[in-house]
Structures are given as C-alpha cells and as structure tokens.
C-alpha cells in the first residue's frame, strides 16, 4: 500500500516545530529551513490505515537521507509506503519489524527520504 500527500511547508510551521524541539532557527539564502527531523511530523498528515492495526508499537529506528534542506514555501509531494517486513523471535516472543519509507519530492526532485522501523511484539498482524 502506498499513500500520497501534498504538503506545503510554511515558515510558521517550521518555527513551531523548531520551538517544540528547542532547535535554533536556521536560514539558507534568506529562507527559513526546517530542522532535519521535521519529516517525522509528516506522518500525522497521512491516513494511519497503512499501519494495519491498533496494537501498540515500539519505535525501532529512523534514518533521514537529505538531498536538499526543506525550506519555507516548498510544496512537497510525499509518498509513504511499507517497504520491508521481517519476522524475528525475541525474548518475549514473536516480533515483526515493519520498515516504512517516506519519500518527499518538489517538482520531481527528491528532497528527503525517511526510513522508519516500527516493531510489533506478539503474533503477526
């Protein structure tokens, strides 16, 4: 399943996010740039149906791969997809590792890719 969303990045949004994580504001060529971790809040804009269940999950890891910093005024076309699923046996029983990939583009140019691993403990869902 692949979900898509158009996301407009405003200066106000960047400022609110930067303040929430106590990050200083930064500029590039006179434009406000987003803190590197800001794409994690993009998940909130997607339909959570991609997660397939209501069970609690553990956060495994995150990786950000930037080609260009996110700047105020960008209109990003983002795609969120389940890119990998792996079953493992843990001390508490079966675990399933789900890797989600979020790719964001502006006018066809990739800006950032975010990989997030979420862990479901218990029987496969």
């Amino acid at each position: 399943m692949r979900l898509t969303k158009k996301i407009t990045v405003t200066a106000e949004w960047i400022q609110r996010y930067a303040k929430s994580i106590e990050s200083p504001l930064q500029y590039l060529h006179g434009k406000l740039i987003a803190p590197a971790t800001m794409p994690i809040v993009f998940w909130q804009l997607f339909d959570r149906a991609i997660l397939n269940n209501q069970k609690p999950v553990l956060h495994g890891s995150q990786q950000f791969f930037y080609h260009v910093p996110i700047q105020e005024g960008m209109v990003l076309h983002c795609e969120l997809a389940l890119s990998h699923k792996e079953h493992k046996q843990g001390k508490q029983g079966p675990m399933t590792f789900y890797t989600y990939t979020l790719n964001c583009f502006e006018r066809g140019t990739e800006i950032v890719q975010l990989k997030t691993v979420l862990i479901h403990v218990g029987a496969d869902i």
Side-chain angles (χ1 to χ4, degrees):
M1 174 186 283
R2 181 177 303 273
L3 301 175
T4 60
K5 186 64 96 174
K6 182 173 134 181
I7 299 173
T8 301
V9 181
T10 65
E12 294 78 21
W13 193 15
I14 292 172
Q15 290 167 345
R16 277 194 322 270
Y17 180 74
K19 183 178 180 182
S20 75
I21 64 167
E22 299 180 359
S23 176
L25 296 178
Q26 297 182 7
Y27 294 84
L28 180 65
H29 306 297
K31 286 192 169 188
L32 189 59
I33 60 171
T37 57
M38 189 167 173
I40 62 173
V41 299
F42 294 178
W43 273 71
Q44 298 168 7
L45 305 174
F46 284 89
D47 177 5
R48 295 298 183 104
I50 196 168
L51 297 177
N52 292 331
N53 79 12
Q54 302 300 318
K55 287 186 180 181
V57 296
L58 302 173
H59 183 265
S61 65
Q62 281 181 276
Q63 294 177 301
F64 299 85
F65 304 96
Y66 274 91
H67 300 282
V68 177
I70 296 174
Q71 300 178 28
E72 66 177 282
M74 282 186 164
V75 177
L76 301 175
H77 296 275
C78 298
E79 299 175 349
L80 177 62
L82 175 63
S83 55
H84 185 72
K85 178 178 173 181
E86 182 178 1
H87 301 285
K88 293 184 179 182
Q89 187 63 35
K91 291 180 184 178
Q92 302 296 322
M95 302 181 340
T96 306
F97 290 71
Y98 295 90
T99 302
Y100 293 92
T101 303
L102 176 67
N103 292 296
C104 296
F105 302 85
E106 184 187 43
R107 290 185 235 129
T109 299
E110 187 169 31
I111 303 300
V112 64
Q113 180 184 77
L114 167 62
K115 289 190 181 264
T116 301
V117 176
L118 299 178
I119 305 166
H120 294 262
V121 178
D124 188 23
I125 54 172

